Amino acid sequence: MDNSEFTKPKLERLAYPINEACWAIGVGRSVLYRFHREGKVEFRKVGGRTLVPVESLRRLIEEAPAV
């Protein structure tokens, strides 16, 4: 029997919880919340959890000034 039949497809995440979003972009919680207050990052409430859409994090990084 081939194990490939039972492997789950790798799915790309649509959003991260706050702590994982911080880790993904390398900032602390207070910085992420400041970005949210400034309108640079979106938060979504899903099932009582606050999530940060991946697209929002990518946009933040893409719009950040290059140094």
Side-chain angles (χ1 to χ4, degrees), residues 24-38:
I25 63 171
V27 300
R29 289 175 64 91
S30 60
V31 173
L32 187 66
Y33 278 98
R34 179 170 44 95
F35 287 155
H36 175 65
R37 282 192 309 274
E38 293 172 353

Side-chain angles (χ1 to χ4, degrees), residues 10-18 20-21 24 41-46 49-59:
K10 184 156 182 146
L11 299 175
E12 183 177 333
R13 283 191 140 179
L14 301 175
Y16 290 107
I18 297 292
E20 291 182 29
V41 174
E42 299 173 11
F43 288 177
R44 305 284 179 172
K45 276 289 200 190
V46 179
R49 297 184 71 193
T50 302
L51 301 175
V52 184
V54 170
E55 296 87 20
S56 185
L57 295 173
R58 288 178 197 227
R59 188 172 43 252

